[in-house]
Amino acid sequence: MLKNYLKIAWRNLIRNKSFSLLNILGLSIGLAVTGLILIWINFEIGFDQFHERKDRIYEVYNKFPVDGEIWTWNSTPKVMAPTIKKDYPEVERISRYFYDTEFLFAQNDKRIKSTGTIVDPDFLYMFSFPLLEGDIATVLEDVNSVVVTETFAKKLFGNESAVGQIIKVDNADSFVVTGILKDLPNNSAFDFEFLMPWAYIHQKGWDDENWSNNSVATFAMLHEGTSYNDFANKIKTLRKNYDKDSPEMVTFLYPFTRSWLYSEFENGKEIGGRIDMIRMFSIIGIIILVIACINFMNLSTARSEKRAKEVGIRKVVGARKTALVGQFLGESILISFIAALLAFLIILLCLPAFSTLIEKPLSLNITHIEFWLTALSVVLFTGIIAGSYPALYLSGFKPSSVLKGTFKKMNAAITPRKVLVVLQFSAAIILITASIIVTQQLDKVQDRQTGYAKNNLIYTIIEGDVEKNYPLIKEELLASGIAASVTKTGSPITESWSNSWNFEWRGKDKDNKTLVHRLPADDAVVKTFGLELIEGRDFNLANYPTDSTAVIINESAVTLMGFEEPLGQMIKDNGIDWHVIGVVKDFVMNSPFQKIEPMAIEGAKAWFNVIHLKFNDAIGTKQGLATAETIFRKYNPEYPFHYEFVDKQYAQKFNDEQRTSELVSLFTLLAIFISCLGLFGLASYMAENRIKEIGIRKVLGASVQSITTLLSKDFLKLVLIAILLAVPVSWYFMSMWLEEFAYRITISWWTFALSGILALTIALITVSYQAIKAAIVNPVKSLRTE
């Protein structure tokens, strides 16, 4: 029986090649999109799930009320880890994680810059990063020990054994390689090539016991059997005993297993994170697969008359409805399997490009049984969903009506097939609208005025002898003519590295905890960045030595502090009284999607990490970079000259949204294409069934235009209904998405109008092709054929 069903299914595929091709092509694209999205989701949800003790590991977070809201963040004081270990016996292991640090490693003639971190010895006990060589108990015991990954070891030592080798760090300290780590997997939030012991921080004088200096991550591992809820209640008042400035700050532990996907908070509550993106594209993948299944349903039921007699005869000779349902479901599953093979080829071809687009190293784990079980489940599910309605519909025919020739097609105002077409195009229109709005939002933010001049501006990190030789470097850069201006700052202009709510000024409300960003800066910061001075002046230590304790504030800071005449006002920060010498127009330093926050540009008494260089417009960039490299290498010979263009760094702020826009646009095009395949097939079948009617109408004088209109209008009515359904749905969801951004567009009516016009145009082109093709057929031929 099964063999017979397969034969019939195969013969039906071969007999109706065009419809089979449309079904298989639509389903294969739907399955391919779903497959790519599933591979991406599997990669994301697998982040850091390989750690053996992951269920007992937590990251230390803080909660603090600021301006009526509860702020949540995961940076902690350096002193927190030893305090927790001392006061809470429930904690088995704890480690600080010094945010990614870059050092210059020297081994003989090799000079390699690498990014790693500094941790407590417990780190390797907590996280499953296997040691290929070395003893976990001793590798981070000595202050001058270093553990490197196998790839970094090869960079430094080639094929020689690395353990026991001595390397120099930042041209100052010698370290002994005590262990070799297996390279970190791609799906880990950690990204380092070396680990150094926390004792090195202490030796360098970088350690402190300042509870207001939230500068490191802290990870804690609880003893087995410890109640998380009980411990959470116990640790939340930790700061009350130690932090005099913020005793009301709450300490809590956040599960490490959730940190990659869910670590976004609003008003103290977890609201999502990367999981939102995964959910959004999961829904898009399901929509595209459903659109492909709707194609199958519609095309299968549209051909119902051709199989009606087959069903009638089978029922007369004793076939039960369940057997017929099984036969038709088997046919749809067979088509689904054929489509799956084509989808697998599409995935193999597209996976590298898709990985590049989303910037993730995705791969097919075809050696894992889970991969094949998931693939089989998706294929069977698709076949059953796509074939369920046609199977029930076809198996429900009454043999008496069919064999007498009184079987009637569905011509009611509302039929399941029409409903499915409406749903299909509604989904496509929602995606079109989403694509337009995402693009509009991205364009708006990219066109936002930054408040500073990005062009011909570079920055380089201060390292080695640069700080010591800065006056000579600056003088030579200006004398060479390549630089219009040069300044030192605490961070790049594109990001804030320091902020505080402990700024003080006259008239400040004691309950005011608004965050103020600080940017330490040297002479000519306004000139170098091209900031717009509203009042006052730039830093100039040569003419005004007291500028070392001067501060320039932005408009938002003036508003916050309530200064009617800001110049000469005093602001206290880090124990220093800063006097205001200037006010600049607000400029975008952090996210261009959010509002600009208060900023204090503090004078030369602050600290510096970065040099900004504004090239002379008359000098070519290539010449300027070559000269700058020569000067920096002259005064800092042990370090390579590494720089970043500010405009490129600023452009990277849009990477996530740009990627979202590209993905939504891509999937929208695929959804439209699949919808058009189905519409094309339905239009083709409609024209075929009405060929005699068309012939008679032409004999009676009907024009090609009138026949085309007759055949097209029913489909266009369905698309219009789809537009009416899609507009409120797309408005609701896209309004919610835009709420994430403080700087955002207002959704205009023409956005929905454009989506509707596009959908109508695409449907009209698709249907009109078949309608015109049928309308121009010679009526003599069509009537003779009957």
Side-chain angles (χ1 to χ4, degrees):
M1 184 66 73
L2 179 62
K3 183 179 179 181
N4 185 48
Y5 283 170
L6 287 173
K7 274 185 180 180
I8 294 170
W10 182 254
R11 286 170 182 169
N12 276 315
L13 285 178
I14 299 302
R15 187 182 304 119
N16 302 284
K17 293 184 179 65
S18 58
F19 285 95
S20 299
L21 179 62
L22 291 175
N23 273 330
I24 291 171
L25 186 58
L27 279 177
S28 63
I29 294 173
L31 286 169
V33 170
T34 304
L36 288 170
I37 291 175
L38 283 175
I39 293 168
W40 178 20
I41 291 172
N42 184 62
F43 178 80
E44 293 287 347
I45 64 176
F47 254 71
D48 285 312
Q49 299 303 308
F50 56 86
H51 298 288
E52 294 176 12
R53 303 173 184 85
K54 63 180 182 293
D55 294 329
R56 292 195 285 139
I57 300 174
Y58 300 86
E59 188 171 3
V60 181
Y61 272 66
N62 309 286
K63 286 182 184 178
F64 190 65
V66 178
D67 289 343
E69 294 184 5
I70 298 175
W71 287 29
T72 307
W73 70 97
N74 60 344
S75 296
T76 60
K78 301 183 185 78
V79 69
M80 181 170 278
T83 302
I84 291 175
K85 190 68 180 287
K86 173 175 67 73
D87 291 353
Y88 300 94
E90 296 91 341
V91 176
E92 180 181 345
R93 305 273 182 184
I94 197 162
S95 176
R96 290 159 288 194
Y97 186 94
F98 200 77
Y99 293 114
D100 296 341
T101 306
E102 191 174 62
F103 287 126
L104 177 72
F105 287 81
Q107 206 279 325
N108 295 331
D109 294 332
K110 287 183 181 177
R111 299 283 187 278
I112 301 175
K113 290 189 78 171
S114 177
T115 300
T117 189
I118 303 172
V119 296
D120 287 292
D122 278 355
F123 183 82
L124 289 175
Y125 285 97
M126 297 165 63
F127 298 100
S128 302
F129 295 121
L131 276 169
L132 301 178
E133 296 182 56
D135 183 355
I136 192 172
T138 59
V139 287
L140 292 174
E141 188 176 62
D142 188 79
V143 65
N144 290 110
S145 57
V146 63
V147 178
V148 298
T149 62
E150 53 184 326
T151 296
F152 189 46
K154 287 179 180 178
K155 289 180 186 176
L156 287 167
F157 307 105
N159 293 323
E160 293 182 38
S161 175
V163 173
Q165 298 270 21
I166 297 174
I167 51 179
K168 206 156 193 176
V169 174
D170 271 358
N171 249 14
D173 302 306
S174 295
F175 280 75
V176 178
V177 178
T178 53
I180 307 296
L181 281 173
K182 185 178 180 181
D183 284 340
L184 275 60
N186 289 322
N187 58 343
S188 174
F190 294 107
D191 184 17
F192 54 80
E193 288 191 308
F194 65 84
L195 296 174
M196 289 179 175
W198 192 264
Y200 183 62
I201 291 276
H202 191 73
Q203 183 189 73
K204 298 295 287 185
W206 300 339
D207 210 352
D208 63 71
E209 296 187 357
N210 182 359
W211 282 89
S212 296
N213 183 14
N214 296 292
S215 54
V216 298
T218 301
F219 297 96
M221 186 174 78
L222 303 183
H223 282 286
E224 286 191 61
T226 300
S227 167
Y228 169 76
N229 291 331
D230 291 345
F231 184 70
N233 288 327
K234 188 176 179 181
I235 199 174
K236 66 183 181 181
T237 58
L238 167 67
R239 294 250 189 179
K240 191 174 183 180
N241 300 323
Y242 295 98
D243 190 351
K244 295 180 181 179
D245 292 327
S246 307
E248 66 271 42
M249 190 178 296
V250 173
T251 301
F252 71 99
L253 300 185
Y254 189 71
F256 177 69
T257 52
R258 295 181 67 81
S259 60
W260 178 255
L261 294 178
Y262 296 93
S263 55
E264 186 174 319
F265 292 80
E266 184 176 286
N267 204 22
K269 302 292 184 181
E270 179 192 277
I271 60 168
R274 290 181 179 88
I275 191 67
D276 296 328
M277 182 71 69
I278 289 174
R279 285 171 180 157
M280 181 175 74
F281 283 103
S282 297
I283 292 170
I284 289 175
I286 291 170
I287 288 173
I288 291 176
L289 187 57
V290 168
I291 288 173
C293 290
I294 288 174
N295 273 0
F296 184 92
M297 294 177 187
N298 280 339
L299 291 175
S300 297
T301 56
R303 295 171 53 245
S304 57
E305 277 188 288
K306 296 204 171 191
R307 304 202 65 179
K309 287 188 179 180
E310 175 193 339
V311 172
I313 292 170
R314 284 181 179 276
K315 283 194 171 184
V316 166
V317 297
R320 295 182 178 180
K321 184 174 181 177
T322 53
L324 291 170
V325 169
Q327 176 193 336
F328 292 127
L329 279 177
E331 289 181 17
S332 70
I333 291 172
L334 175 62
I335 291 175
S336 183
F337 268 99
I338 295 171
L341 292 175
L342 182 57
F344 184 71
L345 293 176
I346 294 172
I347 290 172
L348 287 177
L349 291 172
C350 295
L351 191 60
F354 186 66
S355 298
T356 302
L357 178 60
I358 65 172
E359 297 182 359
K360 303 287 184 183
L362 303 181
S363 61
L364 275 174
N365 297 318
I366 57 176
T367 57
H368 294 186
I369 187 66
E370 293 87 353
F371 170 82
W372 294 108
L373 288 175
T374 303
L376 181 62
S377 300
V378 171
V379 172
L380 287 174
F381 178 77
T382 303
I384 292 169
I385 292 297
S388 57
Y389 171 60
L392 292 171
Y393 175 70
L394 293 171
S395 62
F397 291 157
K398 293 181 179 179
S400 57
S401 299
V402 170
L403 296 177
K404 285 179 182 178
T406 57
F407 166 74
K408 294 183 179 179
K409 300 177 288 180
M410 294 186 295
N411 289 317
I414 300 176
T415 65
R417 193 185 311 155
K418 290 178 179 178
V419 170
L420 290 174
V421 170
V422 169
L423 290 176
Q424 189 179 46
F425 265 86
S426 293
I429 293 163
I430 289 170
L431 289 178
I432 292 172
T433 306
S435 180
I436 292 172
I437 291 174
V438 170
T439 302
Q440 286 176 328
Q441 171 65 8
L442 186 60
D443 289 343
K444 179 180 177 66
V445 180
Q446 285 179 329
D447 291 340
R448 184 181 188 180
Q449 293 297 315
T450 58
Y452 60 89
K454 304 186 297 289
N455 295 334
N456 290 328
L457 181 62
I458 67 168
Y459 69 84
T460 181
I461 303 298
I462 295 174
E463 53 190 356
D465 294 332
V466 170
E467 180 66 40
K468 179 178 68 176
N469 294 322
Y470 174 70
L472 297 172
I473 293 172
K474 179 178 179 180
E475 182 182 352
E476 198 159 329
L477 286 169
L478 293 171
S480 68
I482 66 162
S485 59
V486 180
T487 191
K488 286 191 297 184
T489 57
S491 70
I493 183 65
T494 52
E495 52 190 300
S496 173
W497 288 359
S498 181
N499 54 53
S500 174
W501 51 64
N502 290 325
F503 278 79
E504 296 178 17
W505 58 87
R506 189 179 63 187
K508 179 183 179 182
D509 186 335
K510 64 179 182 178
D511 295 325
N512 189 327
K513 296 293 184 181
T514 303
L515 206 64
V516 178
H517 294 269
R518 59 168 75 92
L519 175 65
D522 196 15
D523 278 1
V525 63
V526 173
K527 179 182 178 183
T528 304
F529 291 158
L531 302 177
E532 184 180 336
L533 264 176
I534 296 175
E535 56 181 311
R537 58 178 177 80
D538 202 347
F539 292 134
N540 188 333
L541 281 167
N543 295 334
Y544 305 95
T546 57
D547 277 5
S548 61
T549 56
V551 63
I552 299 170
I553 58 178
N554 69 350
E555 293 172 293
S556 295
V558 173
T559 302
L560 169 68
M561 297 171 185
F563 294 153
E564 292 184 7
E565 296 182 4
L567 299 185
Q569 297 282 352
M570 302 300 293
I571 300 172
K572 191 168 185 176
D573 177 40
N574 275 336
I576 300 173
D577 290 321
W578 306 87
H579 59 283
V580 179
I581 65 165
V583 177
V584 294
K585 191 174 179 64
D586 281 345
F587 60 95
V588 179
M589 193 168 188
N590 294 307
S591 171
F593 294 91
Q594 304 301 334
K595 68 177 183 178
I596 297 173
E597 296 176 305
M599 166 69 67
I601 305 174
E602 298 176 345
K605 201 166 183 178
W607 63 93
F608 301 108
N609 300 300
V610 178
I611 293 175
H612 285 83
L613 187 161
K614 180 74 172 181
F615 283 123
N616 190 329
D617 291 337
I619 303 294
T621 304
K622 186 176 181 180
Q623 179 187 343
L625 288 172
T627 305
E629 180 175 12
T630 301
I631 293 170
F632 273 92
R633 292 298 299 271
K634 175 182 176 181
Y635 293 103
N636 193 32
E638 298 298 328
Y639 285 75
F641 175 60
H642 180 75
Y643 60 88
E644 297 287 351
F645 281 97
V646 168
D647 55 355
K648 290 183 179 179
Q649 289 297 304
Y650 184 80
Q652 289 181 9
K653 294 176 181 287
F654 303 99
N655 283 356
D656 288 345
E657 284 69 26
Q658 184 72 52
R659 193 180 305 118
T660 300
S661 176
E662 291 172 356
L663 286 170
V664 171
S665 298
L666 172 63
F667 292 143
T668 298
L669 289 174
L670 291 173
I672 292 169
F673 179 71
I674 296 171
S675 298
C676 288
L677 285 178
L679 201 60
F680 183 85
L682 286 175
S684 175
Y685 190 76
M686 172 202 66
E688 181 183 333
N689 279 353
R690 299 178 71 176
I691 192 71
K692 183 179 178 182
E693 175 193 344
I694 294 169
I696 293 172
R697 286 179 178 275
K698 290 195 73 175
V699 168
L700 295 175
S703 65
V704 172
Q705 181 181 351
S706 64
I707 292 173
T708 302
T709 303
L710 174 72
L711 296 178
S712 303
K713 66 180 182 181
D714 289 339
F715 288 106
L716 296 183
K717 287 178 184 176
L718 297 179
V719 176
L720 284 171
I721 295 171
I723 293 170
L724 294 176
L725 291 176
V727 167
V729 175
S730 55
W731 176 85
Y732 175 75
F733 284 107
M734 294 314 296
S735 295
M736 288 180 60
W737 178 73
L738 287 171
E739 285 294 324
E740 297 178 14
F741 310 110
Y743 189 78
R744 58 180 180 264
I745 63 168
T746 300
I747 300 177
S748 302
W749 65 268
W750 65 262
T751 301
F752 304 106
L754 178 60
S755 300
I757 291 169
L758 284 172
L760 279 171
T761 303
I762 292 166
L764 184 62
I765 292 171
T766 304
V767 174
S768 294
Y769 172 78
Q770 288 292 358
I772 294 171
K773 184 179 175 183
I776 61 176
V777 172
N778 189 329
V780 175
K781 182 179 178 182
S782 59
L783 293 174
R784 185 193 303 149
T785 306
E786 285 293 320

